[in-house]
Amino acid sequence: MYRVPTRSLPHPMTGNLFVSPVPPGTGWPDAPATPSTRSADDAADVTTWAAQAATLDELSAEVSVCRACPRLTAWRETVALEKRRAFADQPYWGRPIPGWGDPHPRLLLMGLAPAANGANRTGRIFTGDRSGDWLFASLHRTGLATRHSSEHAGDGQQLLSTRILCTVRCAPPDNKPTVAERATCAPWLLAEWRLVMPTVRVVLALGTYGWDASLRTARELGYGVPSPKPRFGHGAHAELRTPEGEPVTLLGCYHPSQQNTSTGRLTTVMLDTVMARAGDLAGLR
Ligand code: SF4
């Protein structure tokens, strides 16, 4: 059950009122679930239902109401209820974040997990925090997004033949999911790769976490993966092979976290250079 809501607040784009966390089927922009969407309660549900998902819509709906990790469910809902002061006048999504973007992408971006006051607030991946500001600005400069920023679900932002996923779908305390939580969430990721990878030609991994998750998921789907395991680095690349023999390029990029961008470890030029290369290799520029 969802926690007892405190009070309804207006969505910044639509003005419609929502309690936090947002119950499914109440009209949040782009929200994929209905009140009858089944909610996974444990790792066994996730494994079984992810394997059964026949469409991205079905998968995204079930991801968005998942409650299989007790610690992450409690954390995301607590943040949604307590809110950061700057967003105290907004409803918080407070639920898992499905993949977002083109359902038939040529480029796939792999992140770590939603931010507690970013995607956990707005309901859209990398939306509403500084990491997302960097990422969407770069996607726009390189011709892969229609708008310079992604502020809220329903703002009109669109990705061009590009999709973004988080390895773990719920905001974790300190941005650190446990190994067990990562494993519990992995079947959702595997299912999304199964559904979108037929058109993907480039995977851009944001940070070591996204890089390792990409390699693990590719192996599980029977892809050819170089041995020894390719090492992550900014600009690193590895050539994967689908089971049908199609090439897929894995590129590495430092995560646009505040830790990396505020210290100069990742600059705008560095990010744009890798993003442009990913777009070129995917045949999008
Ligand atoms: S992290 Fe993944 S498996 Fe765990 S509750 Fe969130 S969506 Fe479900």
Side-chain angles (χ1 to χ4, degrees), residues 40 42 46 62-70 72-73 76 96-97 167-171 181-182 184-186 188:
D42 53 33
V46 174
E62 291 185 351
V63 166
S64 78
V65 294
C66 179
R67 306 178 65 83
C69 301
L72 298 187
T73 300
R76 76 193 192 208
I97 306 299
T167 303
V168 173
R169 308 301 175 103
C170 290
E181 288 161 351
R182 188 192 76 197
T184 299
C185 206
W188 292 136

Side-chain angles (χ1 to χ4, degrees), residues 29 88 98 161 174 182 250 264-265 283:
S161 293
D174 299 323
R182 188 192 76 197
L250 174 63
R265 185 164 192 248

Side-chain angles (χ1 to χ4, degrees), residues 109-179:
L109 271 60
M110 288 278 292
L112 194 172
N117 292 284
N120 189 55
R121 171 173 56 92
T122 63
R124 184 197 283 164
I125 200 162
F126 272 107
T127 295
D129 62 49
R130 291 202 185 147
S131 297
D133 291 346
W134 271 68
L135 190 68
F136 276 98
S138 182
L139 284 163
H140 181 66
R141 284 191 297 267
T142 53
L144 301 172
T146 58
R147 298 165 66 102
H148 184 74
S149 64
S150 182
E151 305 285 343
H152 299 286
D155 63 4
Q157 176 65 279
Q158 284 185 295
L159 298 180
L160 306 177
S161 293
T162 299
R163 189 171 184 84
I164 312 177
L165 310 182
C166 278
T167 303
V168 173
R169 308 301 175 103
C170 290
D174 299 323
N175 290 322
K176 286 181 185 157
T178 65
V179 173

Side-chain angles (χ1 to χ4, degrees), residues 220-275:
E220 285 206 42
L221 287 173
Y223 281 48
V225 175
S227 180
K229 175 186 157 188
R231 291 184 60 179
F232 173 76
H234 187 76
H237 81 275
E239 292 301 325
L240 314 178
R241 287 269 163 197
T242 70
E244 294 75 34
E246 295 291 331
V248 174
T249 301
L250 174 63
L251 286 178
C253 178
Y254 288 151
H255 193 285
S257 63
Q258 260 188 283
Q259 192 179 15
N260 284 337
T261 55
S262 65
T263 58
R265 185 164 192 248
L266 180 67
T267 65
T268 300
V269 171
M270 288 168 68
L271 181 56
D272 286 359
T273 301
V274 172
M275 195 70 75

Side-chain angles (χ1 to χ4, degrees), residues 26-139:
T26 51
W28 191 267
D30 304 332
T34 70
S36 59
T37 303
R38 57 186 180 178
S39 170
D41 285 327
D42 53 33
D45 284 350
V46 174
T47 300
T48 304
W49 299 354
Q52 292 170 348
T55 66
L56 265 186
D57 287 346
E58 184 186 335
L59 178 71
S60 295
E62 291 185 351
V63 166
S64 78
V65 294
C66 179
R67 306 178 65 83
C69 301
R71 185 183 79 118
L72 298 187
T73 300
W75 173 252
R76 76 193 192 208
E77 295 188 351
T78 298
V79 173
L81 284 166
E82 295 180 352
K83 309 179 194 307
R84 178 176 283 175
R85 181 180 302 209
F87 308 122
D89 60 345
Q90 295 182 20
Y92 269 53
W93 170 253
R95 287 169 35 202
I97 306 299
W100 185 77
D102 194 320
H104 306 289
R106 293 182 65 83
L107 171 61
L108 187 68
L109 271 60
M110 288 278 292
L112 194 172
N117 292 284
N120 189 55
R121 171 173 56 92
T122 63
R124 184 197 283 164
I125 200 162
F126 272 107
T127 295
D129 62 49
R130 291 202 185 147
S131 297
D133 291 346
W134 271 68
L135 190 68
F136 276 98
S138 182
L139 284 163

